[in-house]
Amino acid sequence: GSPQDLLQRLLATASEGLVRVFIHCDATVTGTNIATWMDRHRVRSAANYVNWPGRSARQVREEAQLHEAWLAVRLSHPDTSPEELWPLLRAAAQDLPLSPPVRPALAERLGNLLHLLSFPVLALLSLPVLLLALPVLIVMLRRRETRDRVIAPRPSRARNAMLSSLEDHDVTNPYSAIGSLKPGRFRRCLAIVILWIIDWGARHIYRSGRLARVNTIHFASWTFLDDKRRVFFASNYDGSREAYNDDFINKVAFGLNLSFSNGLGYPRTDWLVRGGARHERDFKWYLFHHQIPTQVWYNPFRGLTTYDMARNARLRATYERRPTGADLARFVAEI
């Protein structure tokens, strides 16, 4: 749904708690002005990644219940053929609610189309200027890349133990980090442009459960703070922190370099995409230096990984097609 709908639902059920939180920011916050105050102080993210846009919370829950029901049937009949199992699976499904997937409204589809066209149109319009400015931009970038200082102090065992104590209470973990951009208008403008492109790509290219080759991320966001001098990064992911970092280093290091190399102290890059995260020790120490405890986070899908959600959606779609033959055999095998 929309941010406005979410805020109204939060206020309807938790306005007292929200006042108790935000009164520490502004002593004038009350139950009557909290909605206006929150809307006035909202900071929009520069870039967002969503694992599977359009998949609603209700859909995830219903498909998880459906899979559990089918799994119970299959475990109860381990030697039954797919054809004999099909009526039992249908009977189990008939007792469960299965809402149709949410379809975006016409206005949302038109807005998405306009956003899709924004990047190629702006790229074409700015191409003549970029070509003229490219030699200067290259010199400015390379001078900074060869001189920027790396700040990646050795991790503290005590702090690592503190952060670890907040993790691995479920299959999904939160990750929060904050840091300053490198000084100067060049780096700030570069960060703004890169995050805008990342947001565009996440919205229109990486829509089917994968950010490049990484498929363990539920969501990620980059938000500018302090007049775009600092960036706050937040994410939810499956598995351990170490595996999360390794996934990115091994599969999409260039993406890490693009999105974070304008941060103060980041390991040195070459041409924005090379090096950087490939300096594994410095990169991991840099991330640890900027990670902060996630004090509060909410996970409505405990026990469900991104793989589980994708599998459950595939099973539901296959079931609604009434599979036969080889399709039915594959359907049963995936339960």
Side-chain angles (χ1 to χ4, degrees):
S2 70
Q4 292 75 21
D5 290 342
L6 172 64
L7 180 57
Q8 290 305 314
R9 292 175 65 185
L10 278 174
L11 292 170
T13 57
S15 60
E16 182 181 348
L18 291 170
V19 170
R20 289 175 64 187
V21 170
F22 290 116
I23 201 169
H24 296 284
C25 304
D26 185 343
T28 65
V29 170
T30 65
T32 56
N33 68 7
I34 180 67
T36 304
W37 188 91
M38 289 181 68
D39 188 62
R40 191 169 66 247
H41 289 83
R42 180 185 175 196
V43 180
R44 297 178 184 273
S45 295
N48 277 305
Y49 166 76
V50 179
N51 180 266
W52 201 291
R55 182 187 288 162
S56 68
R58 174 182 291 180
Q59 180 182 346
V60 170
R61 293 191 185 98
E62 290 178 350
E63 290 170 354
Q65 291 176 346
L66 192 62
H67 176 254
E68 289 177 5
W70 285 339
L71 184 60
V73 170
R74 191 181 176 203
L75 292 176
S76 300
H77 303 81
D79 300 321
T80 306
S81 69
E83 287 74 18
E84 294 172 325
L85 205 59
W86 175 246
L88 302 177
L89 296 174
R90 287 189 62 189
Q94 287 173 354
D95 296 331
L96 296 173
L98 202 58
S99 307
V102 177
R103 302 298 180 190
L106 177 61
E108 185 178 346
R109 295 200 299 271
L110 289 174
N112 210 41
L113 177 61
L114 290 174
H115 192 273
L116 172 64
L117 296 174
S118 62
F119 176 58
V121 169
L122 286 174
L124 286 172
L125 291 175
S126 59
L127 188 59
V129 177
L130 283 176
L131 289 175
L132 289 173
L134 191 59
V136 177
L137 295 175
I138 288 174
V139 171
M140 293 174 70
L141 174 65
R142 291 302 294 151
R143 285 186 63 187
R144 285 161 175 77
E145 286 188 322
T146 55
R147 297 178 181 182
D148 286 338
R149 185 184 172 195
V150 177
I151 304 173
R154 181 183 293 273
S156 156
R157 290 188 178 183
R159 187 165 176 273
N160 185 51
M162 178 272 293
L163 290 171
S164 297
S165 70
L166 303 175
E167 300 168 348
D168 298 329
H169 296 283
D170 188 42
V171 294
T172 304
N173 279 310
Y175 184 88
S176 302
I178 191 168
S180 299
L181 291 176
K182 292 170 180 173
R185 190 175 298 175
F186 176 80
R187 284 293 191 179
R188 194 191 309 184
C189 292
L190 192 58
I192 292 170
V193 172
I194 287 173
L195 288 182
W196 184 80
I197 294 172
I198 288 173
D199 184 66
W200 181 89
R203 184 168 172 175
H204 302 292
I205 298 174
Y206 303 113
R207 295 178 50 83
S208 302
R210 288 178 178 271
L211 182 56
R213 292 193 295 147
V214 180
N215 64 350
T216 56
I217 306 170
H218 290 254
F219 104 99
S221 70
W222 294 255
T223 304
F224 286 116
L225 302 174
D226 301 332
D227 194 27
K228 294 184 172 63
R229 287 181 171 83
R230 293 200 296 166
V231 175
F232 172 69
F233 175 76
S235 178
N236 290 356
Y237 62 94
D238 295 327
S240 69
R241 184 187 355 153
E242 191 74 13
Y244 178 61
N245 291 337
D246 288 339
D247 238 8
F248 273 100
I249 293 170
N250 297 327
K251 297 177 180 178
V252 65
F254 74 92
L256 289 171
N257 294 339
L258 279 173
S259 57
F260 293 113
S261 63
N262 291 299
L264 184 65
Y266 190 83
R268 284 203 176 102
T269 57
D270 293 314
W271 306 103
L272 279 180
V273 295
R274 297 175 59 193
R278 291 294 185 186
H279 305 298
E280 182 176 345
R281 190 196 69 175
D282 283 348
F283 173 73
K284 288 184 176 180
W285 287 9
Y286 170 85
L287 285 187
F288 183 83
H289 180 60
H290 289 282
Q291 185 180 357
I292 58 176
T294 305
Q295 294 177 313
V296 179
W297 74 292
Y298 172 63
N299 179 12
F301 313 118
R302 291 184 65 83
L304 289 177
T305 65
T306 57
Y307 171 82
D308 294 328
M309 295 181 195
R311 176 204 57 215
N312 295 345
R314 283 196 307 272
L315 288 172
R316 181 252 183 94
T318 304
Y319 168 74
E320 291 178 340
R321 293 199 306 267
R322 298 178 178 270
T324 58
D327 283 344
L328 178 57
R330 283 192 293 269
F331 170 77
V332 172
E334 195 174 10
I335 293 177

